[in-house]
Amino acid sequence: MSQENLPIEHLYFTETNLEQILENLDVVRNRIHPQVIDEEGVNEQFFPSVCLIGLGRCGSNIALDVASLVYDARANYMREVENQEILNNESEFRPMRWIRKHLPLESKDGLKPVFLIEPIVLLGDLDKDIEGRIRFSNQEGRTKFLEEYTKLQIMDLSEVHAGGAGNAPILGQYLAKIILNKDATTFRNENWKQMHSYLVDSCGIKANQSRLYFYIFSAGGGTGSGMASEFGLAQQFSYLSKTFDYRSDQSQMADKRHSFVFEPIFTSGICILPNISGKNVEISEALHINAGRLLTKYISEEWNFSYNEEREEDEVPADVMERIRPWNSMMLISNDIMRYAEEENGGDSDNIDVNTMEKYANQYISQQIFNILTAQAVTTDYDEDYFRRAGIDIAETIRLDANDLFMSLAGPVAVAYAESVVNEGTRQDSVDIDDLFCRSIELPHFNNDTSAIEGVSVLPVESDRYREAIKDYRKSGYDATALNHLHFFKNCSSIVSIISLPRDYKLSFTALNRLKMHLNRLCPNTTLKRYALVIGASANLSLTTLIAKSPCLSDDFLTLMVAYMKRCFARDDYRYTDEIDKAIIKMIQDDDFDDALVDKYFTTYENPAKILDTNWYAIKPMYEKKYRELIDSNQRFVSINDIRLDINNVKNAIKYLREIYRHRISKTNVLTLNG
């Protein structure tokens, strides 16, 4: 699809010269892989299958720390290979200890397995000092890490803007649009042209082997919250434009790396939600409004892409391209998790500092990324009969590669996690699978045996109420009726469960069957349940469950979204009362949806001035002038007014919530013609 024929709604630059894309990819590849020369010459290296993109201060810090943990874990692992001695772990930081404990130190044949995960890590921020902040931070050992972990790349975007987004997502979004609409070949910074080819132009083609992309960002800021969805949309736009390009001229090229081979990519946002509970938290803070904007924008785009019944049956590719959403799914991780973990650990959650919160967030995210990546391994230790006896169809067991995740996960996603130590010689039936499952869905807490943070990433309901529900669940002998009436579980449409085992430990089929029973009872309306069994990637037995779509019905999600709508859309008569709160709950619950009610309460466009303590109409022309200076084309000009959310975003977001609120499946009855 040529640049001229692309739908005008999205004006993202996409390089169409395949030779140029390949040349740029070779530069990036050589930067992240020192050239290895064998007897036949240069041994071509492949891109890692996984890419982490950290955007904004919070997102780039977390992505950097995840990469640091992986690097440190591998360095320590290699030292153990050489020295064969156990290092003293007690002085290490918890996340470091957790990842090291999850390295399989011995295999059956005595050989050391290769460390599984070395993702490419891209860091981007509008702060011109991002490189200085990263390179000269005073963490011990950071300099050596930056020199040796060549898969870490910094996206210097200061050529477009060097001063951040001022905690205003619409400004972050507009600046990202300038960056992504501008011809990448016209940037003075050559590195961006090459990074653009890796991240945007080449996703899905043979020459770029990366298939999983995780965008890490804080929903409450300006830069990350605003930029992340634009970067995701540009990538999806480029990928889908190739999908709908049926020309065969590429197939006649001599170098088959040039051709687009349809291989699904899976992209996910990893969204850090702000605290909304606690003694000193006010929901009206700007970071809550910012987060609410992101959530409203995402589920309205997801509605348009997946559910909108107004689409034409014979919709042409251009129409589909106008309905793209930034990611296949968006994982939600609440900062309140860190507060609950500190509470359960006996600490003073009210005085926990920001740095500690970020470290806990870093640990929780690294755990989940680690488990998702290791689940790409092929399971060969279990035959079909094992799964049959556990009541699981072999077709339900998956490797979590891009295609499986693409088919299994969509929309907002929550994570439930727990793990247990299984020592050598532990009997198969000695692990309490009921307790393991319950711990995975509890309020977040530390596992004292393994240093992991366990629990669910966003609470279904308010914490005190949920704590009591979990107590009832345990007291009743794990009777699911204590929990499965909550929409978080009742309206879940799909589940992916990852069970990770040490190589020498085999989970009994009865334990696996009990796990399936718990999932069936807790989430009775899932359309799809998939299981990934990972052998040998962990020293512990761990359970990760990804819960799709229904997290948008959680208290946190709804509270943040409505807070944004009231602040930035509400008409003056309704802004300071709870009438809108009650009306939106009613709109979700009522059988019929009345569009006129939305028009009654809300204005046509969001008002960005409601989160800025300055004159919006003075800021707007400044940024639009920057756009015109950097992209000198009237046909490609986008006004900042054009990216405001409008009343249709509000309506579509409510429609999405209505759809998930009504989700259920029909039960299969046994039929007979014999009387």
Side-chain angles (χ1 to χ4, degrees), residues 451-672:
S451 303
I453 296 176
E454 299 180 331
V456 68
S457 65
V458 59
L459 297 190
V461 289
E462 187 272 327
S463 59
D464 290 338
R465 182 180 167 193
Y466 190 59
R467 189 178 283 112
E468 289 304 311
I470 288 288
K471 284 180 183 176
D472 292 342
Y473 181 59
R474 279 193 178 275
K475 285 179 184 175
S476 65
Y478 307 105
D479 181 355
T481 56
L483 294 172
N484 65 13
H485 62 284
L486 300 174
H487 293 293
F488 187 91
F489 299 118
K490 183 173 74 172
N491 299 99
C492 172
S493 66
S494 66
I495 279 177
V496 172
S497 197
I498 306 165
I499 305 124
S500 185
L501 306 172
R503 178 170 294 279
D504 294 325
Y505 181 84
K506 185 170 283 193
L507 192 67
S508 70
F509 71 86
T510 53
L512 197 57
N513 182 260
R514 286 195 66 78
L515 174 61
K516 182 184 178 184
M517 177 195 72
H518 284 309
L519 287 171
N520 283 339
R521 290 178 178 175
L522 188 64
C523 303
N525 290 304
T526 48
T527 309
L528 188 66
K529 291 188 184 75
R530 308 295 294 276
Y531 302 87
L533 204 59
V534 183
I535 313 277
S538 168
N540 300 320
L541 166 62
S542 71
L543 171 65
T544 302
T545 304
L546 305 175
I547 301 165
K549 294 187 180 175
S550 58
C552 68
L553 302 177
S554 67
D555 288 6
D556 284 15
F557 195 105
L558 200 59
T559 300
L560 292 168
M561 197 185 78
V562 176
Y564 160 70
M565 291 177 180
K566 281 182 70 174
R567 175 76 71 88
C568 296
F569 273 99
R571 297 185 186 278
D572 290 341
D573 293 344
Y574 307 107
R575 186 172 293 127
Y576 305 107
T577 70
D578 62 356
E579 189 171 343
I580 285 179
D581 305 32
K582 294 174 181 176
I584 290 181
I585 295 294
K586 193 170 186 300
M587 288 179 208
I588 295 168
Q589 293 177 335
D590 282 355
D591 291 337
D592 298 314
F593 178 51
D594 184 0
D595 275 28
L597 275 177
V598 181
D599 296 319
K600 171 188 171 184
Y601 291 116
F602 299 116
T603 56
T604 305
Y605 292 100
E606 70 172 332
N607 183 354
K610 295 299 180 183
I611 56 170
L612 298 171
D613 190 22
T614 186
N615 187 338
W616 168 250
Y617 300 100
I619 293 176
K620 178 178 172 292
M622 289 167 46
Y623 282 83
E624 290 184 346
K625 185 173 189 294
K626 183 188 288 282
Y627 191 112
R628 291 186 186 278
E629 288 174 344
L630 292 169
I631 304 175
D632 187 18
S633 168
N634 287 332
Q635 287 75 29
R636 297 183 64 81
F637 176 71
V638 177
S639 167
I640 202 165
N641 279 342
D642 297 336
I643 66 168
R644 287 178 300 170
L645 300 195
D646 61 28
I647 194 97
N648 288 321
N649 291 107
V650 174
K651 290 176 180 177
N652 289 341
I654 294 172
K655 288 175 183 176
Y656 185 85
L657 296 177
R658 283 174 54 82
E659 183 75 26
I660 306 306
Y661 181 79
R662 282 160 181 74
H663 171 76
R664 61 176 183 166
I665 58 172
S666 58
K667 302 301 180 183
T668 302
N669 298 319
V670 177
L671 304 181
T672 180

Side-chain angles (χ1 to χ4, degrees), residues 141-251:
R142 173 63 59 82
T143 303
K144 185 178 181 183
F145 155 69
L146 291 170
E147 289 173 356
E148 295 189 3
Y149 196 81
T150 54
K151 295 180 182 67
L152 175 73
Q153 299 290 315
I154 297 171
M155 297 185 290
D156 185 352
L157 308 174
S158 60
E159 188 173 324
V160 168
H161 190 77
N167 205 40
I170 192 169
L171 298 182
Q173 183 184 348
Y174 192 64
L175 291 166
K177 212 167 252 306
I178 297 175
I179 292 164
L180 295 163
N181 287 2
K182 181 176 166 63
D183 185 336
T185 63
T186 64
F187 277 74
R188 292 192 300 274
N189 186 338
E190 286 282 315
N191 284 355
W192 170 244
K193 176 180 72 174
Q194 294 140 10
M195 283 291 99
H196 189 280
S197 281
Y198 166 75
L199 185 62
V200 178
D201 303 328
S202 66
C203 52
I205 69 171
K206 278 186 177 180
N208 182 352
Q209 297 80 26
S210 296
R211 293 293 177 262
L212 301 179
Y213 297 85
F214 294 95
Y215 290 77
I216 306 171
F217 57 94
S218 165
T223 302
S225 183
M227 288 177 65
S229 65
E230 283 297 318
F231 272 73
L233 283 169
Q235 186 182 53
Q236 290 288 311
F237 182 73
S238 175
Y239 178 71
L240 287 172
S241 67
K242 297 186 188 78
T243 303
F244 289 119
D245 187 350
Y246 301 116
R247 293 174 306 165
S248 60
D249 57 336
Q250 294 181 19
S251 63

Side-chain angles (χ1 to χ4, degrees), residues 331-466:
M331 296 183 189
L332 305 173
I333 298 179
S334 170
N335 250 334
D336 278 325
I337 276 188
M338 318 315 160
R339 187 174 66 82
Y340 301 136
E342 190 70 13
E343 280 179 353
E344 298 294 326
N345 203 40
D348 181 1
S349 63
D350 290 327
N351 295 319
I352 184 171
D353 64 89
V354 173
N355 289 331
T356 305
M357 295 277 269
E358 275 198 2
K359 287 178 180 178
Y360 288 167
N362 148 353
Q363 175 180 351
Y364 193 86
I365 291 168
S366 65
Q367 288 171 192
Q368 307 325 322
I369 291 175
F370 185 94
N371 287 302
I372 290 169
L373 303 195
T374 57
Q376 294 178 84
V378 180
T379 299
T380 55
D381 290 27
Y382 292 79
D383 59 20
E384 185 170 348
D385 187 56
Y386 168 81
F387 289 104
R388 181 185 58 76
R389 292 167 67 197
I392 296 174
D393 190 324
I394 191 70
E396 294 178 313
T397 63
I398 61 173
R399 292 171 55 223
L400 287 189
D401 60 16
N403 190 47
D404 292 313
L405 288 168
F406 180 88
M407 300 300 292
S408 305
L409 292 178
V413 172
V415 182
Y417 181 78
E419 59 184 36
S420 292
V421 175
V422 285
N423 298 316
E424 189 174 350
T426 302
R427 297 198 332 270
Q428 291 181 10
D429 58 355
S430 63
V431 173
D432 188 343
I433 204 75
D434 300 330
D435 176 67
L436 179 71
F437 179 78
C438 186
R439 281 189 281 118
S440 75
I441 60 171
E442 283 181 344
L443 276 81
H445 56 276
F446 285 110
N447 182 319
N448 292 327
D449 294 329
T450 66
S451 303
I453 296 176
E454 299 180 331
V456 68
S457 65
V458 59
L459 297 190
V461 289
E462 187 272 327
S463 59
D464 290 338
R465 182 180 167 193
Y466 190 59

